[in-house]
Amino acid sequence: MLKENTSGEQNVCILYFHGGAYTVGSPRANENDARRLAMSCAATVISVKYTTAINAPYPAAVDDVEAAYEALCASGVAANKIVLAGTSAGGGLVLALLHRLLGQQRTMPVCVVTLSPWLDLSMSYPSLDALSAQDVILSRAWTTRAAKMYAGQTAINTPEISPVHGRFESAPPTLVLYSKVEIFRDEIESFSNVLERFGVEAEFYAHNFAPHAWPMVVDDAPETEAAFSLIAQFVSKHTT
């Protein structure tokens, strides 16, 4: 858990889910991501250790992040101070958890931030091939293997696996940052239509040439600083 707070008020608390195609990564390996969020948003950041697909397929990871969210709520942190955030597969987990909470009419976080979220594990959108030469982070081969491992025996279009197929009525305000040259581009842009259809207050910010999940993979660049500034403004807007 990382803290950065300069006031005497209750900290904004960001529950953060790391990326890694559901197969790799950990809070320790992605500590810098959480640290940047804490510093930028003047918030407490809790980076969640969830079960990767190497150890167990869906729904283990969603169950883990649900348990983390329940524990945070039970600890006394007010819902209007809780933000869900995630990168890549972690962004998909954010939206999977949100879909579960909505379906069970549970307490909602105040807002959601996702960076290049993985939203459709069927690997069916054209940008997966059209942008394969331009995406310097992801490949169809790796993500396809990871998708099969993560889904296990569950249908790939299940909304908690592929949130682009979900229903998001009454979801909290959502910020999505993504790249125009990443292979997930088309599914992310399709998801903007999903949120619009369900009346969700959503902001989508696309960078024309930065890589997949650039705020978390490119240090000390103007584009990274601008992204964290945008995230901080969004979080502040919805938590103050």
Side-chain angles (χ1 to χ4, degrees), residues 176-182 185 189 204-211 214-215 222-224 226-227:
V176 179
L177 281 70
Y178 71 104
S179 170
K180 285 285 190 178
V181 292
E182 66 172 296
R185 181 197 65 189
E189 293 182 345
F204 281 71
Y205 177 83
H207 198 287
N208 287 328
F209 57 83
W214 83 90
E223 295 84 358
T224 298

Side-chain angles (χ1 to χ4, degrees), residues 159-214:
E160 287 189 6
I161 292 176
S162 296
V164 73
H165 299 295
R167 300 182 63 86
F168 289 91
E169 298 101 328
S170 303
T174 300
L175 174 65
V176 179
L177 281 70
Y178 71 104
S179 170
K180 285 285 190 178
V181 292
E182 66 172 296
I183 61 174
F184 292 164
R185 181 197 65 189
D186 288 355
E187 63 201 71
I188 292 171
E189 293 182 345
S190 178
F191 189 63
S192 72
N193 296 326
V194 171
L195 294 187
E196 182 179 6
R197 186 166 71 249
F198 289 116
V200 179
E201 179 185 341
E203 299 178 27
F204 281 71
Y205 177 83
H207 198 287
N208 287 328
F209 57 83
H212 168 79
W214 83 90

